[in-house]
Amino acid sequence: MLPAERRKRIEEWVRKQGHLKISTLSKQLGVSEMTIHRDIKPLVDEGLVVKTFGGISLARGTVAKREDNDCVYCRKWIDKRLAYRLIYADGTVEKTCCAHCGLLRQLQLPEETQFHAICRDFLKNTTISASWATYVCDTSLNMGCCQPQLLPFEFKDEAKKFVKGFGGKLMMYEDVLDKMRADAKVVHCPSHRKGDS
């Protein structure tokens, strides 16, 4: 298969699925991962896709064949109780299935992207600013969503009580982002502090 044919197929798949892994593309197309990286370079240069850790995702604003109830990061169905939203300066909204996917999506965004992130308090189910939340990581309670699980709480005291009952550790917003940046070795990461939009 010629490179142009592979690129066309990759473009079709990413428009349909929203996110693809380099290793999966390599196996499906029967070429090396280095060849896949060369094949996707023009798609990245055109702004159709953005590179992610180990894969590519459809760039924000690109028309995809997806349902409104699918996570923009992992494509899973969104349970409103765990949903995480990114609200951009132009009024568009992206939804993810959980805080884990929401924070990973944030790390994909160029530094200059202006947005506000909101999620739901795990206990009260009220809407809170993601940057003010306390997150419980590595709890024994499995919510059946993405791993590692991140459960947001509005109040640190309530998160501490939850950890006493179900285990896990507490992390603040910036700490979670820093850990994800280090784990994924993300190059372009927004630096948002409490109160930033």
Side-chain angles (χ1 to χ4, degrees), residues 50-111:
V50 292
K51 284 189 175 184
T52 61
F53 182 66
I56 57 172
S57 287
L58 197 60
R60 187 172 66 84
T62 305
V63 177
K65 297 174 184 169
R66 68 174 96 152
E67 296 295 322
D68 193 37
N69 272 343
D70 288 348
C71 175
V72 296
Y73 189 81
C74 75
R75 316 308 304 153
K76 286 183 182 177
W77 179 80
I78 298 173
D79 176 348
K80 290 180 182 178
R81 182 181 165 96
L82 300 174
Y84 191 99
R85 288 177 176 75
L86 299 171
I87 305 165
Y88 296 96
D90 66 2
T92 58
V93 177
E94 284 186 340
K95 294 188 281 186
T96 63
C97 61
C98 61
H100 177 257
C101 284
L103 292 165
L104 286 173
R105 177 63 180 137
Q106 284 179 222
L107 294 177
Q108 293 178 334
L109 301 173
E111 286 186 35

Side-chain angles (χ1 to χ4, degrees), residues 1-13:
M1 183 181 297
L2 296 172
E5 293 174 295
R6 287 194 304 269
R7 274 194 301 275
K8 184 176 180 185
R9 195 165 285 179
I10 291 168
E11 182 178 344
E12 289 170 1
W13 289 341

Side-chain angles (χ1 to χ4, degrees), residues 136-141 162-169:
V136 173
C137 311
D138 303 323
T139 178
S140 62
L141 181 67
F162 182 88
V163 167
K164 282 184 181 178
F166 295 99
K169 66 179 181 177

Side-chain angles (χ1 to χ4, degrees), residues 131-149:
S131 63
W132 287 88
T134 298
Y135 295 87
V136 173
C137 311
D138 303 323
T139 178
S140 62
L141 181 67
N142 186 349
M143 296 304 298
C145 206
C146 302
Q147 299 293 330
Q149 243 173 200

